[in-house]
Amino acid sequence: MDMNKVKPGLYVKITKLNDTKGMMIAPKHLDARKKGARGIIREFVPGHGGDV
């Protein structure tokens, strides 16, 4: 998907999980990531490439 089309309110589905090495996010939130999970973008996490 074109990164310029990623905006708050967009419905998303996780299709693959990339490496999270170096991300400073609570382990409970990283552990909750599951392939196939669906959600809605609420805001951006700067510096994490949009994987969170």
Side-chain angles (χ1 to χ4, degrees), residues 13 15 18 30 32 34 39 41 49 52:
K13 179 179 177 183
T15 58
N18 293 327
L30 291 175
K34 305 285 184 233
I41 294 178
V52 180

Side-chain angles (χ1 to χ4, degrees), residues 9-43:
L10 179 70
Y11 287 89
V12 294
K13 179 179 177 183
I14 296 174
T15 58
K16 68 178 182 175
L17 296 173
N18 293 327
D19 182 31
T20 59
K21 187 171 27 174
M23 291 189 183
M24 299 180 67
I25 297 173
K28 69 179 182 178
H29 297 304
L30 291 175
D31 293 341
R33 296 179 341 135
K34 305 285 184 233
K35 187 175 179 179
R38 296 172 188 259
I40 300 172
I41 294 178
R42 293 212 252 152
E43 57 187 293

